[in-house]
């Protein structure tokens, strides 16, 4: 079956933490280990709830400030510092735009409710025919339902789609519903694998 749609993950693929220093400095300032801080932000109970939309990103961060014993007035500064080393891959965005002339393009992301706003603010929302965010649909990858929602959005069958993600478990999830998966390691390798598939 010919590929008609390409789906991309955001975090770890289009947006990557290229510089650890800002997060490392923040961890030191908070008297924490780097990995513990990352786990608190991305793997805590409030993060899980924010990822399925039962809490907002702001509510998650408010809960984190309580756990970190920091005043609410520091929230924005800590958020900015935590994500300070994250970089959008503009070359990959260019590739997605080029692919968009021939294929339907979708995004499937385990993310909080502020992601759509971020994509619009960074001006690359035009890349996508459909954006599927876990906080908006109430289910996270690798659950089959999130892939099915994304496919329905683009009116595409699973065997007509390929998905690029940086976690093997999410690739396995998409393959279980019948999509093809590409595990993201670096942009040039993804370009080669896409070229071979398309």
């Amino acid at each position: 079956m010919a590929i008609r749609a390409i789906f991309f993950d955001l975090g770890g693929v289009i947006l990557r933490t290229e510089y650890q220093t800002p997060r490392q400095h923040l961890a030191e300032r908070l008297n924490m280990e780097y990995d513990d801080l990352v786990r608190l932000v991305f793997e805590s109970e409030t993060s899980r709830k924010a990822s399925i939309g039962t809490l907002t990103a702001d509510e998650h961060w408010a809960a984190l400030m309580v756990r970190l014993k920091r005043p609410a007035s520091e929230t924005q500064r800590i958020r900015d510092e935590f994500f300070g080393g994250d970089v959008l891959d503009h070359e990959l965005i260019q590739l997605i735009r080029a692919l968009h002339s021939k294929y339907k393009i979708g995004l499937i992301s385990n993310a909080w409710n502020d992601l759509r706003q971020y994509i619009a603010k960074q001006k690359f929302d035009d890349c996508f025919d459909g954006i599927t965010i876990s906080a908006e649909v109430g289910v996270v990858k690798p659950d089959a339902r999130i892939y099915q929602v994304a496919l329905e959005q683009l009116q595409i069958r699973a065997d007509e789609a390929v998905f690029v993600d940086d976690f093997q478990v999410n690739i396995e999830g998409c393959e279980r519903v019948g999509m093809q998966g590409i595990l993201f390691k670096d942009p040039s390798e993804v370009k080669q694998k896409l070229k071979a598939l398309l």
Side-chain angles (χ1 to χ4, degrees):
M1 180 58 65
I3 297 297
R4 292 178 56 214
I6 308 158
F7 292 91
F8 291 87
D9 174 34
L10 184 87
V13 178
I14 298 170
L15 176 70
R16 302 191 299 276
T17 305
E18 295 288 358
Y19 307 103
Q20 272 74 35
T21 313
R23 205 170 283 179
Q24 185 64 54
H25 286 168
L26 176 62
E28 285 164 12
R29 199 159 61 76
L30 295 169
N31 296 315
M32 292 179 78
E33 291 296 324
Y34 181 97
D35 290 343
D36 292 338
L37 177 61
V38 171
R39 272 194 291 274
L40 187 64
V41 174
F42 290 129
E43 295 171 31
S44 61
E45 182 59 16
T46 55
S47 171
R48 192 189 64 76
K49 287 180 174 175
S51 295
I52 55 168
T54 56
L55 281 184
T56 65
D58 287 344
E59 287 166 336
H60 166 50
W61 279 101
L64 288 187
M65 297 308 283
V66 172
R67 288 187 67 178
L68 293 168
K69 299 182 172 60
R70 311 302 295 184
S73 57
E74 282 187 33
T75 308
Q76 195 56 53
R77 182 184 162 197
I78 286 177
R79 274 173 94 154
D80 291 346
E81 212 172 325
F82 184 84
F83 293 115
D86 287 13
V87 179
L88 272 175
D89 187 334
H90 290 284
E91 216 174 292
L92 185 55
I93 290 171
Q94 268 184 313
L95 171 69
I96 292 168
R97 284 205 170 103
L99 289 167
H100 200 190
S101 62
K102 295 182 193 146
Y103 302 93
K104 288 188 175 186
I105 303 288
L107 185 84
I108 308 173
S109 183
N110 285 352
W112 309 326
N113 73 312
D114 54 355
L115 180 63
R116 193 176 290 271
Q117 187 186 345
Y118 170 81
I119 293 168
K121 193 177 166 190
Q122 297 295 327
K123 298 185 168 56
F124 65 103
D125 47 338
D126 62 305
C127 289
F128 306 107
D129 297 295
I131 293 175
T132 306
I133 298 167
S134 63
E136 295 178 356
V137 299
V139 64
V140 294
K141 296 175 292 187
D143 191 297
R145 284 171 297 168
I146 195 164
Y147 305 104
Q148 286 155 355
V149 167
L151 291 164
E152 281 162 21
Q153 264 191 9
L154 299 197
Q155 298 179 309
I156 291 287
R157 292 207 319 257
D159 61 359
E160 300 172 318
V162 59
F163 178 50
V164 180
D165 194 284
D166 60 319
F167 280 104
Q168 182 62 36
V169 65
N170 296 336
I171 293 299
E172 288 164 8
C174 86
E175 288 172 345
R176 276 195 296 274
V177 300
M179 299 165 79
Q180 291 194 59
I182 293 177
L183 182 64
F184 180 91
K185 291 197 179 96
D186 68 75
S188 56
E189 190 186 348
V190 161
K191 281 178 201 170
Q192 285 169 352
K193 285 186 174 175
L194 279 172
K195 208 172 171 182
L197 262 182
L198 308 172

